[in-house]
Amino acid sequence: MNTSDRYRALDGLLRRANALSRAAIWVAGGLTLASALYITGDVLARYFLGKPLGGADELSGYAFAISISWALSFATLQRANIRIDALYQYLPPRVGAVFDWLALVVLGVFIVYWTRYAATVAGLSWDNQSTANTTFATPLWIPQALWVAGLLWLCVVLALMLLRSTIALVTGDLRTVRDICGVRSTKEEADAEAEAGKRLVEGDAQ
């Protein structure tokens, strides 16, 4: 039994996480688009009717925070986070794999602390029944809970990535370590752009 067969279940979980995260960015994108349309409507109402719709700043702020938290998991899975690789590209493969793994560990620690802080904020809003100081008087725990949910999902994704990359590093499967948490190469960036362009063309053709 080779390494890929041995950890097929874990690889399957990562694929499902990728699929769910891809769906999440579509929802997040839709939320951002709805926010932009509402702001446009607010500006037009202010200009032509002399009366704004109201709440554009508040709602767009909620939309931005929620959409960002839910988009982070897909960005992490796609290795779209920015890494400084001036020296990285000259490292031996095994040393580079160790640095890739360490980068994922540091990111995971940061996200866990961020999520813990966010959950504390949402919990305080729930306990105090805090509302926004606006005409909507939005219960703050609602947008904060959606924000925290996105961060919690990111923690799950990072845990899966860290578990799989740790196994790969221990077993000497450097290619898997790179595929999970390595810096994307120029070729990978070009292939991703080409694939995105292909999907766009096929979508227009339909």
Side-chain angles (χ1 to χ4, degrees):
M1 181 181 293
N2 57 38
T3 303
S4 60
D5 291 335
R6 188 178 304 168
Y7 303 112
R8 183 178 298 172
L10 185 53
D11 291 336
L13 287 175
L14 275 172
R15 285 193 295 272
R16 290 185 180 90
N18 188 75
L20 288 173
S21 297
R22 184 183 294 274
I25 63 168
W26 279 99
V27 176
L31 188 62
T32 302
L33 178 60
S35 174
L37 292 175
Y38 188 84
I39 292 173
T40 302
D42 183 72
V43 172
L44 293 176
R46 187 188 303 271
Y47 182 79
F48 290 106
L49 304 177
K51 184 178 180 180
L53 298 176
D57 291 343
E58 178 186 1
L59 297 178
S60 62
Y62 299 151
F64 181 75
I66 295 168
S67 60
I68 286 296
S69 71
W70 280 98
L72 286 174
S73 59
F74 186 74
T76 305
L77 284 163
Q78 296 299 306
R79 294 176 291 155
N81 49 311
I82 297 175
R83 295 259 304 271
I84 300 174
D85 59 350
L87 298 177
Y88 171 87
Q89 55 188 324
Y90 300 109
L91 296 175
R94 180 167 291 277
V95 176
V98 171
F99 274 95
D100 289 335
W101 181 83
L102 285 174
L104 189 62
V105 170
V106 172
L107 178 62
V109 171
F110 170 74
I111 293 300
V112 166
Y113 273 99
W114 182 13
T115 304
R116 181 181 178 184
Y117 172 77
T120 300
V121 171
L124 287 174
S125 295
W126 168 265
D127 292 337
N128 298 326
Q129 292 298 298
S130 303
T131 59
N133 188 23
T134 62
T135 54
F136 288 165
T138 306
L140 291 177
W141 70 267
I142 297 177
Q144 288 171 354
L146 294 173
W147 172 50
V148 172
L151 295 176
L152 286 172
W153 173 243
L154 176 58
C155 289
V156 172
V157 168
L158 284 169
L160 289 173
M161 294 175 67
L162 186 57
L163 177 59
R164 185 65 184 93
S165 61
T166 300
I167 293 172
L169 185 63
V170 171
T171 58
D173 187 0
L174 303 185
R175 180 187 178 94
T176 297
V177 176
R178 186 188 64 195
D179 290 344
I180 293 175
C181 53
V183 176
R184 295 177 70 173
S185 65
T186 304
K187 184 179 183 302
E188 287 176 317
E189 294 283 356
D191 290 343
E193 291 295 331
E195 183 63 27
K198 181 180 178 181
R199 288 198 300 267
L200 183 61
V201 170
E202 290 176 349
D204 291 340
Q206 294 175 358

